[in-house]
Amino acid sequence: MPSYCLLFKTARDLLINRPINNQFYKKRRKATISDLPTECMQQIFYYIQTQEEGIYPALLVSRYWCRNIVPLLWEHPFRRFSKEYHSQPNKNSKNRILRVYQRSNNKLLSTLFSCLSEQDNLLLASQLSRLQHRIKVPQSQQTLFNYPCYLQEFSYSDLELIILSYLQRWYTNDSHEFFYPQIRLISTFLCKLFFQKSNLNSLYFEKIFPELDIPNFIEIDNKHFVFSSITRFTFTYSDPITQNILNFLKIVSNFCTHIDFLEFKLKSSDYNIDVKEAIVKIIGSQNCLKHFSIEHITKDGVEPIIFSLKNHTRSLVSLRLSHVQFTESCISLISQFNNLNSLILDNCEGLSNEILYSHFLLSKLIINSQQQDITLPLLKKFGKNLKSLGLSIYDLEIADKLLSFCPQVNKIYLNIYVETTEKCCDYEELKKMEESWKNVIKSAYPHRSISLPISFF
């Protein structure tokens, strides 16, 4: 029996056995589906969604179930397909023709086309016809639900993949470069739809196709409401910065003020003056920033960004810095973030003992550093409160000291860098080091079961 049937049966049985305090009822009446509180049904559906059979069959049980399930499905409609794509082997191969067509994606995009205004629907169909392709756009119509308004999470890279999948319905033998004009056009109209009608709280900006520029978001009207509700923003980019990218970052800085989770993942060469200025403005626009993460920024650009966090010293609880070149002033400022409970320092340069003068109580510390002289002092300083600890495989010599420094640890992340310049190991050597680590951890914590997730980079 599907899990949703079992859960509903249990909830319904409980309701039937509950007395109804109503003077007009001398007998207990039989409970119906509508008797279950909406909050109860939502908890059931959230659970069902995590099960293997999924939540889709439950849509057909009744109108009441449908009304409760549709908003849940449309909170992040692209997520399932995105997970399937990213789990494919060799998905990043430059010479491989991307085959992503799925019938369900065709239905998903057709539904979104139906949600376009009549004017935008006709305009999209007209512009696609000019590209001389036989792509049909479903006519705009009154849908049963206002689907875009349920969208909570939006990833631009997922949208690109969904559009590609839709286009491959008509053209199956062409490389994905063939679809660039259509992807750009359709993504423009759908972004307009999302940014005018959705209630986003998570925005993930990443691209699948490096050669394809993003839409000009400045041309989208009435976007203030959607952007002002965003609390989670991740910007991942590894292509030349275009004017449309800068326009997008300016929109985020102008309209987003409630972001508490903020991440930037760029190449070091992409941190030009305009990008750094946009990042500083985005940080400065937030009311209460709790998590901040940035990658691959050099010494000449790091100070303005780190110093823009100064207004968030009281609210910041999590900080992740990867391949960052510190200055002494940056370290001094970071040591003032007294409410930090999570700190990740991944292959950063310029770490100094200045950070040891901080007063934060960390529950999570991940330190991957070539500076072996800083790892041990950090553990001595912050170890007694740590629950989670991350170290490099090359820190094996300090593993037997972990118990004395970190008595409460229950999870240790082991990071293995396969490609390094000075300490390059072959696979067999790495496996031996991995086994050595496991044995040392077991001996260091003989009476505790330590979770030891291992990551290869």
Side-chain angles (χ1 to χ4, degrees), residues 2-19:
S3 60
Y4 65 85
C5 293
L6 291 173
L7 282 169
F8 176 70
K9 184 178 183 300
T10 302
R12 188 172 180 273
D13 289 345
L14 288 172
L15 190 62
I16 290 174
N17 293 325
R18 186 185 66 192

Side-chain angles (χ1 to χ4, degrees), residues 11-250:
R12 188 172 180 273
D13 289 345
L14 288 172
L15 190 62
I16 290 174
N17 293 325
R18 186 185 66 192
I20 299 174
N21 296 321
N22 191 316
Q23 59 180 341
F24 297 105
Y25 287 88
K26 295 182 179 179
K27 296 182 179 180
R28 296 177 186 174
R29 64 184 177 84
K30 187 176 180 181
T32 64
I33 291 176
S34 58
D35 287 319
L36 286 172
T38 301
E39 293 80 6
C40 178
M41 295 300 299
Q42 289 174 346
Q43 289 298 317
I44 292 174
F45 295 139
Y46 271 109
Y47 177 82
I48 296 172
Q49 200 173 29
T50 65
Q51 305 307 300
E52 290 184 3
E53 64 265 23
I55 200 173
Y56 294 97
L59 276 170
L60 305 178
V61 172
S62 71
R63 291 182 180 180
Y64 177 68
W65 279 43
C66 184
R67 286 196 301 269
N68 281 277
I69 292 173
V70 165
L72 191 62
L73 288 174
W74 281 85
E75 285 183 0
H76 33 71
F78 312 134
R79 182 185 289 179
R80 180 180 59 85
F81 172 70
S82 177
K83 287 182 178 179
E84 292 177 1
Y85 164 74
H86 288 290
S87 65
Q88 295 179 28
N90 303 319
K91 63 180 180 299
N92 294 321
S93 174
K94 293 182 179 179
N95 299 321
R96 189 170 70 90
I97 296 177
L98 200 59
R99 301 296 182 205
V100 295
Y101 173 67
Q102 291 184 10
R103 189 175 181 181
S104 59
N105 295 331
N106 179 44
K107 294 179 179 179
L108 173 60
L109 214 60
S110 295
T111 301
L112 291 174
F113 286 148
S114 300
C115 296
L116 292 171
S117 67
E118 183 177 356
Q119 180 181 357
D120 284 344
N121 187 278
L122 293 173
L123 186 58
L124 174 59
S126 173
Q127 294 188 15
L128 282 174
S129 66
R130 293 176 188 173
L131 295 174
Q132 298 181 347
H133 294 299
R134 59 178 184 273
I135 302 168
K136 294 182 180 179
V137 178
Q139 292 184 351
S140 177
Q141 57 184 319
Q142 185 68 37
T143 56
L144 187 60
F145 296 94
N146 184 11
Y147 298 103
C149 77
Y150 301 126
L151 192 69
Q152 296 286 307
E153 175 184 292
F154 175 61
S155 166
Y156 187 80
S157 62
D158 289 351
L159 179 62
E160 286 186 326
L161 283 174
I162 291 290
I163 295 173
L164 176 63
S165 173
Y166 179 83
L167 295 173
Q168 285 180 340
R169 173 189 178 188
W170 289 276
Y171 300 91
T172 58
N173 297 319
D174 297 290
S175 64
H176 53 265
E177 289 88 352
F178 176 78
F179 300 109
Y180 283 171
Q182 300 96 314
I183 293 174
R184 172 74 188 281
L185 181 61
I186 295 173
S187 64
T188 298
F189 278 86
L190 291 183
C191 283
K192 178 181 179 181
L193 176 68
F194 297 149
F195 292 152
Q196 287 181 338
K197 295 187 177 182
S198 301
N199 296 301
L200 293 179
N201 57 39
S202 298
L203 178 58
Y204 303 98
F205 192 88
E206 185 176 5
K207 292 177 82 314
I208 293 294
F209 308 114
E211 305 88 350
L212 188 59
D213 197 8
I214 68 169
N216 185 359
F217 291 97
I218 286 183
E219 297 176 352
I220 299 176
D221 298 325
N222 303 321
K223 52 188 173 288
H224 174 268
F225 173 75
V226 173
F227 277 89
S228 63
S229 64
I230 291 172
T231 60
R232 187 182 185 100
F233 177 60
T234 297
F235 183 78
T236 305
Y237 204 74
S238 58
D239 308 305
I241 301 297
T242 65
Q243 187 58 49
N244 284 345
I245 289 291
L246 292 175
N247 290 341
F248 171 70
L249 292 175
K250 289 178 182 178

Side-chain angles (χ1 to χ4, degrees), residues 246-261:
L246 292 175
N247 290 341
F248 171 70
L249 292 175
K250 289 178 182 178
I251 290 172
V252 173
S253 66
N254 289 336
F255 297 134
C256 297
T257 59
H258 295 90
I259 296 175
D260 57 36
F261 186 101

Side-chain angles (χ1 to χ4, degrees), residues 6 23 37 61 128 152 169 178 235 253-254 274 294 318 332 363 373 409-410 423 432 450 457:
L6 291 173
Q23 59 180 341
V61 172
L128 282 174
Q152 296 286 307
R169 173 189 178 188
F178 176 78
F235 183 78
S253 66
N254 289 336
D274 293 328
I294 196 165
S318 175
S332 178
S363 62
D373 58 334
V409 163
N410 51 43
K423 298 182 178 181
K432 290 179 181 178
I450 302 293
F457 296 89

Side-chain angles (χ1 to χ4, degrees), residues 21 86 135 213 247 276 319 321 354 385-386 399 442-443:
N21 296 321
H86 288 290
I135 302 168
D213 197 8
N247 290 341
K276 288 184 288 188
L319 183 64
L321 303 167
E354 183 72 25
N385 295 304
L386 289 180
K442 288 180 181 179
S443 61

